[in-house]
Amino acid sequence: MSVQSKKEQVQALRERGFVVVPGLVSPERCEELKRIGEAQLREAAAPIEFEADLRYPGAPVSKEAPGGHTVRRLLDAYSRHPRFREWAASPEIAGWMEVYFGETPVLSRAHHNCMMSKHPAYGSLTGWHRDVRYWSFERDDLVSVWLALGPETVENGGLWFVPGSQQEAFTSERFDASKFFRADLPENQAWIDRAVSPTLQTGDVVFFHCNTLHSAGQNQTDQVKFSLVFTYHGASNVPLPGTRSASLPEVSL
Ligand SMILES: O=C(O)CCC(=O)C(=O)O
């Protein structure tokens, strides 16, 4: 398979709503990032989002229930460790985002900005959604970068994406009260039927648009899955004042 140029990758993202760039990060660097994540998981270093906070299907019903302290996200990865920060603001990511946005890229610390951990027991599944559902910017044009720190497959709860869904103007009735895309509607099911789950190897990166419908299953293996995830927007697309999106200082690349 021929290697796509950055411009081709950006074009693929525009057309399909996501693009996988294989082997962008070396196995050694991934191993180091994963080890930091494992250590921080052991220390349960705050800020943390627990599975029991969200209670998606498969999650413990409360922090007091068995598995109640299963971590879903080590939050504010940017501030957690210099190695996380280096990746988030690395020249390869800054360069990629500049090609996409055509202006100075900015890292949002209010969204994603986390080490995702999906645990074999008590790790939940995430229904169909658009990330932008709770985000507030002048324009719905943000891109997230998902770095796989180990293999990601359907078995261990890898991501599913609906190609082309980022361009569709779905009305609000197509989503439930929590803004999940309703799988019970036949017209939605027709979209969901097109979903694909790209298998990721260690060091592969998925770039995906904030409007792309995606979901992920539970982890059916016996290993915790780690992924480092950051979100970017163009400098002119500012977070709306007073919203959660504007709640943390941003990082201009
Ligand atoms: O890994 C998962 O369960 C899905 C994560 C996701 O889609 C999200 O955080 O927006």
Side-chain angles (χ1 to χ4, degrees):
M1 209 176 72
S2 67
V3 180
Q4 280 182 315
S5 70
K6 223 174 268 170
K7 263 175 105 170
E8 287 167 333
Q9 293 162 10
V10 164
Q11 188 55 27
L13 171 74
R14 289 195 198 288
E15 283 166 15
R16 284 166 57 81
F18 69 96
V19 62
V20 178
V21 179
L24 194 59
V25 180
S26 72
E28 296 73 27
R29 190 173 186 187
C30 289
E31 186 58 26
E32 187 185 17
L33 293 168
K34 186 172 142 185
R35 292 254 173 271
I36 298 164
E38 285 170 338
Q40 296 201 347
L41 206 53
R42 276 193 301 275
E43 292 158 18
I48 279 176
E49 179 184 80
F50 294 96
E51 290 285 3
D53 293 333
L54 288 180
R55 293 216 256 147
Y56 287 166
V61 290
S62 74
K63 289 233 188 77
E64 291 67 47
H69 285 86
T70 305
V71 172
R72 178 177 166 90
R73 291 192 174 108
L74 296 165
L75 298 170
D76 200 6
Y78 187 83
S79 306
R80 272 180 180 272
H81 201 281
R83 295 282 104 75
F84 294 169
R85 198 148 53 239
E86 276 161 26
W87 161 245
S90 61
E92 53 270 51
I93 293 301
W96 206 99
M97 292 298 160
E98 240 169 63
V99 174
Y100 177 81
F101 290 114
E103 60 174 339
T104 303
V106 177
L107 165 77
S108 165
R109 284 182 50 212
H111 300 303
H112 281 309
N113 181 19
C114 70
M115 175 72 89
M116 304 274 290
S117 60
K118 185 162 282 197
H119 294 250
Y122 309 113
S124 60
L125 72 79
T126 308
W128 292 103
H129 67 284
R130 286 174 152 167
D131 279 344
V132 80
R133 63 191 169 155
Y134 301 133
W135 300 358
S136 312
F137 289 80
E138 290 214 339
R139 298 185 299 281
D140 288 348
D141 192 17
L142 295 92
V143 174
S144 296
V145 178
W146 181 288
L147 167 60
L149 297 179
E152 301 206 17
T153 61
V154 171
E155 287 69 39
N156 71 357
L159 291 166
W160 288 81
F161 295 99
V162 180
S165 56
Q166 83 287 356
Q167 286 170 347
E168 191 69 12
F170 295 116
T171 54
S172 57
E173 308 84 70
R174 308 282 287 266
F175 297 84
D176 68 16
S178 302
K179 302 198 178 175
F180 284 105
F181 194 60
R182 292 178 50 188
D184 59 316
L185 299 178
E187 63 271 34
N188 282 4
Q189 195 55 54
W191 279 91
I192 294 170
D193 285 346
R194 302 180 197 170
V196 294
S197 181
T199 294
L200 305 179
Q201 305 300 336
T202 306
D204 290 357
V205 169
V206 191
F207 294 83
F208 62 103
H209 193 264
C210 63
N211 261 331
T212 305
L213 285 171
H214 60 289
S215 71
Q218 285 178 272
N219 185 348
Q220 312 286 352
T221 70
D222 57 5
Q223 302 286 315
V224 181
K225 176 168 82 63
F226 287 94
S227 332
L228 194 52
V229 192
F230 292 100
T231 297
Y232 305 82
H233 59 86
S236 67
N237 186 20
V238 294
L240 301 182
T243 66
R244 190 179 138 220
S245 299
S247 63
L248 284 173
E250 303 197 297
V251 183
S252 180
L253 305 188

